[in-house]
Amino acid sequence: MTKPDFSFESAAHQRGFLYVAGVDEVGRGPLAGPVVAAAVILDPANIPAGLNDSKKLTAKRRDALYDELLAVADVSIAQATVAEIDTHNILRASHIAMVRAIAGLSHKADHALIDGNMIPRDLAMSSETIIKGDARSLSIAAASIMAKVWRDRHMVALAQQHPHYGWEKNAGYPTAQHKLGLERFGVTEHHRRSFKPIHNILYQDKNVTP
């Protein structure tokens, strides 16, 4: 099984780029909560051991790496809100979050490694896409960890206000518990109204004859 390495970053450094940021997002699939992106510039001399695609790590390991990365890397985390997801669409909103994350770095990145196959249209800088980048680039793996841990913690916090949907466990994804909560307690302000299951609930509610 291949693990992410520093080859994409090294190649960019050899082309003259100084600050190379890995960028990833999390939260395209959930029915609730924001979409979150992170941008990370690693210090080549101080890369935490064990960086990998966040989905391949335990929650405990992700939490530990999150703290390590905050201590040794240039990290920026940004989100696009539920309102922005509903106004644009989830892909566009995820790109908005990516651009915001890059803009929030302490050092101005001069090259971005973007997970996936699309460069955000508002990104006015040198960049390249890497399909399955979180499993191939250490910087993107780091970004995937930062975005996931931040978003998971955010959904745990929202679950304190709205305890009926299981967000502390499902992070807003459409699990059986989440769907049951929607049936029993309806839609919250944190639900994505443009997503079909939520839209259908609202549409059905508006068309129920008294």
Side-chain angles (χ1 to χ4, degrees):
M1 184 174 65
T2 59
K3 288 188 176 182
D5 59 32
F6 208 63
S7 59
F8 290 98
E9 294 85 344
S10 296
H13 289 150
Q14 288 169 11
R15 297 199 302 274
F17 296 112
L18 194 58
Y19 296 113
V20 180
V23 187
D24 199 7
E25 52 73 31
V26 66
R28 284 195 193 182
L31 302 179
V35 61
V36 175
V40 177
I41 300 174
L42 291 173
D43 174 359
N46 197 359
I47 298 174
L51 291 177
N52 205 339
D53 173 0
S54 63
K55 297 183 289 295
K56 297 178 181 176
L57 301 170
T58 64
K60 184 177 180 181
R61 189 75 189 108
R62 285 195 299 266
D63 284 341
L65 285 167
Y66 181 94
D67 292 337
E68 283 188 60
L69 286 163
L70 282 179
V72 302
D74 187 356
V75 174
S76 173
I77 301 169
Q79 61 175 308
T81 65
V82 167
E84 288 173 317
I85 292 168
D86 290 340
T87 298
H88 303 285
N89 58 59
I90 186 58
L91 176 62
R92 178 85 181 102
S94 68
H95 285 175
I96 290 170
M98 284 182 169
V99 172
R100 286 175 179 160
I102 294 168
L105 288 163
S106 298
H107 295 95
K108 183 176 173 61
D110 50 13
H111 187 69
L113 306 175
I114 309 287
D115 183 56
N117 61 0
M118 284 184 68
I119 293 171
R121 68 183 187 212
D122 295 336
L123 189 60
M125 61 176 292
S126 173
S127 59
E128 63 184 289
T129 58
I130 304 173
I131 295 172
K132 296 187 177 176
D134 46 9
R136 300 171 65 194
S137 155
L138 284 170
S139 297
I140 296 177
S144 78
I145 291 165
M146 300 309 292
K148 178 163 178 55
V149 172
W150 191 96
R151 189 180 187 281
D152 284 353
R153 291 177 181 178
H154 180 70
M155 294 308 295
V156 169
L158 291 183
Q160 309 307 307
Q161 305 164 32
H162 303 278
H164 306 298
Y165 305 92
W167 293 342
E168 72 281 0
K169 296 177 182 175
N170 62 43
Y173 284 86
T175 62
Q177 183 182 6
H178 194 171
K179 291 176 182 175
L180 185 62
L182 282 165
E183 287 176 19
R184 290 183 176 176
F185 299 97
V187 174
T188 72
E189 69 269 28
H190 302 294
H191 281 101
R192 301 172 178 180
R193 283 153 171 73
S194 57
F195 278 40
K196 194 170 182 180
I198 306 303
H199 176 82
N200 287 347
I201 290 170
L202 293 169
Y203 184 77
Q204 287 162 9
D205 287 349
K206 287 179 181 175
N207 286 276
V208 171
T209 51

